[in-house]
Amino acid sequence: MRTVCVVGVGMGKWGEIWRMSLRDLHTQAALSAIEAAGVDHLDSLYVGCMSGGLFVGQEHLASLLTDYMGMRGLAATRVESACASGGMAVRSAFIEVASGMSDIVMASGVEKMTDVDGDDATYALATAADQEYEVFHGATFPGLYAMMAVAHMEKYGTTRDMLSAVAVKNHNNGSMNPVAQYPFKISMEQVAKSVMVADPLHILDCSPITDGAAAVILASEEVAKKLGKPYIKITGTAIGTDTIQLAQRDDLTTIKAATIASGKALEMAGKKIDDIQFAEVHDCFTIAEIMVAESIGKYKPGKAGEAFLAGESALDGSFPINSSGGLKSKGHPVGATGVAQVVEVYKQLTGQAESGRQIPGSPKVAMTQNMGGSGGSSVVHVMEVA
Amino acid sequence: MTMFSSRNWREYPHRYRTEASKFKKSGKTYIPKRLVDPETGDTEQETVRLPETGKVLTHTIIRIAPSQWGDKAPYALAIIELTDGTRLMAQMTDVEMDDVKVGMEVRLEFRRVQSEGSHGVISYGYKAVPKWY
């Protein structure tokens, strides 16, 4: 298997981008990644998108998007695993380069979520849960994570302040990210007093509805060296799956798919969790960041919340999490999220993060963890400086 | 979003009669019925009806609901472990939402769950009520 490098990344502004369509959002991110990498062609494209069908009534995206990129004829495939679609696209591109079949492959992600109203967006997102045995009974995504939060609080004494601390920290990081949807700071009080969505989760515990796209270009190390631009290596990649139906899980307080994926990705990279110096994780809800930090093995079950309150996950902490602002502040255009996590790691490892957000101490090893639904799928990547 | 009645009709055995798969090797029971035991790969099974009582493992109050629920929110939702260990998700009803607690003993009852599509075809199924109710 060949070494696979990230040689360029691209992302436009995320938010409620009413003047841009799904195809425009994607084209903007894709072309900026191509420009950044300085490649003169692509061998293929994997695009992650959860639900073009329900959000804008458009399927058959891969061909449409290559056309609008000015690359008719390019080999292109859409990849879907709910909110983990983007990370899965990165992994698919990785495999194609690692195998030697292609030298330069783009992994991108896109979601256009604000063409429908909030109720319909909630419906579209809920299709990542079990339609007949969760959604039929009225489950929503905030509701599923709320039930995990209640179980976690009951078992480990996790508190409102621990949840709020995740949102406050991520908004602080996002306030320094120019592409973030909500680049402003919030307080613990604001989180606790914001409107309730699904008890005990308030609106400021939830990631937003976002329009956005992100793209990364993966290439063999030979190509990366020739390009002469900063590059990083992907040294581990793995997927874990689990039942998508929350009720069927033995333990409601842990995310098994993330445990499987991080274990395999670390093994592939020849690393241990304590070798990882910072991470971008899937904080679709504040409780998710706590549960993921435990599920990937960084903290013992029930111990992440305390560590977060003590500042360990802050930019200057011992294990910075979501320096980009995470899904919470940067936004969560579901199909694009897993790709944007790789964008952030690339920026951090090549020292290109915007002023104030660069993690101190020139870290060399990082992890991304992207998640589908309530934890029915997870994809983890380990990345290192070249 | 339009649902079609055949999609609901297919689920009648589970929703109306709580029919479930009980696998021979593991002794585990799953609703809805499935062809393969996810833990053992076993395919030998019998159809059983679930016990009516159990307890709340976790719960929430849905205050913002998907489009098909219209103005039904807020409503309480719970994951319930039945006395045989089978788990399922159901709405809580005939109880003050704030009174739902982890460990609360409940009983499944046959109730109206929602209505589907623009014609409002009514879908029935199980909801959970407090055991003493």
Side-chain angles (χ1 to χ4, degrees), chain A residues 155-180:
Chain A
K155 187 167 177 185
Y156 297 115
T158 302
T159 64
R160 160 53 32 209
D161 278 358
M162 292 175 188
L163 298 177
S164 299
V166 172
V168 170
K169 182 261 300 171
N170 288 348
H171 270 270
N172 178 62
N173 296 349
S175 72
M176 294 174 274
N177 187 344
V179 299

Side-chain angles (χ1 to χ4, degrees), chain A residues 86-349:
Chain A
M88 299 293 184
V90 173
R91 182 178 150 84
S92 300
F94 174 95
I95 292 167
E96 190 166 322
V97 175
S99 72
M101 194 166 176
S102 292
D103 287 328
I104 307 170
V105 179
M106 176 180 284
S108 62
V110 62
E111 212 76 54
K112 174 72 188 171
M113 301 172 73
T114 66
D115 279 357
V116 293
D117 66 23
D119 287 353
D120 283 335
T122 302
Y123 172 82
L125 290 168
T127 61
D130 187 314
Q131 276 298 312
E132 306 297 354
Y133 290 88
E134 292 184 322
V135 182
F136 175 78
H137 293 286
T140 61
F141 264 95
L144 294 172
Y145 278 92
M147 286 192 273
M148 289 190 257
V150 167
H152 204 275
M153 289 166 142
E154 189 79 16
K155 187 167 177 185
Y156 297 115
T158 302
T159 64
R160 160 53 32 209
D161 278 358
M162 292 175 188
L163 298 177
S164 299
V166 172
V168 170
K169 182 261 300 171
N170 288 348
H171 270 270
N172 178 62
N173 296 349
S175 72
M176 294 174 274
N177 187 344
V179 299
Q181 178 172 13
Y182 295 132
F184 49 76
K185 297 180 185 183
I186 57 171
S187 67
M188 300 283 279
E189 295 69 35
Q190 280 175 301
V191 182
K193 285 183 179 162
S194 62
V195 66
M196 193 71 91
V197 173
D199 308 42
L201 299 181
H202 298 255
I203 190 87
L204 288 179
D205 286 301
C206 309
S207 56
I209 303 279
T210 310
D211 300 330
V216 298
I217 294 174
L218 307 191
S220 63
E221 193 163 22
E222 196 185 340
V223 169
K225 281 181 175 156
K226 273 188 203 153
L227 290 168
K229 302 269 178 73
Y231 68 90
I232 62 169
K233 293 176 183 175
I234 299 180
T235 53
T237 171
I239 293 173
T241 60
D242 195 4
T243 169
I244 68 169
Q245 206 190 119
L246 194 56
Q248 301 280 339
R249 295 192 199 149
D250 293 334
D251 187 346
L252 299 171
T253 62
T254 186
I255 294 168
K256 200 173 173 183
T259 305
I260 295 169
S262 74
K264 282 172 140 180
L266 286 167
E267 188 185 347
M268 181 176 170
K271 299 284 178 196
K272 296 202 158 34
I273 188 68
D274 288 333
D275 297 327
I276 304 295
Q277 292 165 295
F278 69 96
E280 284 285 306
V281 309
H282 199 94
D283 60 316
C284 47
F285 299 92
T286 49
I287 184 64
E289 186 164 313
I290 290 172
M291 286 175 65
V292 167
E294 294 168 356
S295 300
I296 62 174
K298 181 64 192 175
Y299 294 100
K300 289 198 166 64
K303 296 295 178 195
E306 277 169 49
F308 292 178
L309 270 180
E312 285 187 21
S313 57
L315 281 176
D316 60 354
S318 56
F319 187 69
I321 297 178
N322 289 330
S323 56
S324 67
L327 285 56
K328 177 72 205 75
S329 163
K330 185 178 55 186
H332 183 28
V334 281
T337 285
V339 180
Q341 292 179 327
V342 178
V343 170
E344 176 67 10
V345 167
Y346 174 87
K347 285 186 170 184
Q348 290 287 352
L349 289 181

Side-chain angles (χ1 to χ4, degrees), chain A residues 119-120 123 131-133 136-140 143-144 146-147 150-151 196-199 247-250 252, chain B residues 1 7 11 14-15 30-32 58-61 63-64 66-69 75 77 87 89 91 113-114 126:
Chain A
D119 287 353
D120 283 335
Y123 172 82
Q131 276 298 312
E132 306 297 354
Y133 290 88
F136 175 78
H137 293 286
T140 61
L144 294 172
M147 286 192 273
V150 167
M196 193 71 91
V197 173
D199 308 42
Q248 301 280 339
R249 295 192 199 149
D250 293 334
L252 299 171
Chain B
M1 190 71 183
R7 185 171 144 190
E11 303 301 328
H14 312 123
R15 289 181 182 157
Y30 298 91
I31 186 167
T58 187
H59 59 94
T60 186
I61 300 171
R63 296 181 189 272
I64 298 175
S67 37
Q68 77 270 29
W69 289 89
Y75 49 84
L77 197 62
R87 292 172 173 197
M89 185 174 288
Q91 271 188 37
V113 177
Q114 57 161 291
Y126 45 81

Side-chain angles (χ1 to χ4, degrees), chain B residues 35-102:
Chain B
L35 296 174
V36 181
D37 184 338
E39 285 183 15
T40 63
D42 187 17
T43 55
E44 268 191 88
Q45 59 164 297
E46 56 172 334
T47 295
V48 296
R49 286 192 63 179
L50 294 177
E52 285 180 354
T53 56
K55 63 176 201 284
V56 171
L57 287 182
T58 187
H59 59 94
T60 186
I61 300 171
I62 305 286
R63 296 181 189 272
I64 298 175
S67 37
Q68 77 270 29
W69 289 89
D71 57 2
K72 296 288 190 297
Y75 49 84
L77 197 62
I79 291 178
I80 291 153
E81 186 172 80
L82 299 170
T83 50
D84 69 344
T86 310
R87 292 172 173 197
L88 50 78
M89 185 174 288
Q91 271 188 37
M92 296 289 305
T93 194
D94 290 337
V95 62
E96 290 293 332
M97 285 185 290
D98 290 334
D99 291 345
V100 179
K101 296 280 182 284
V102 173

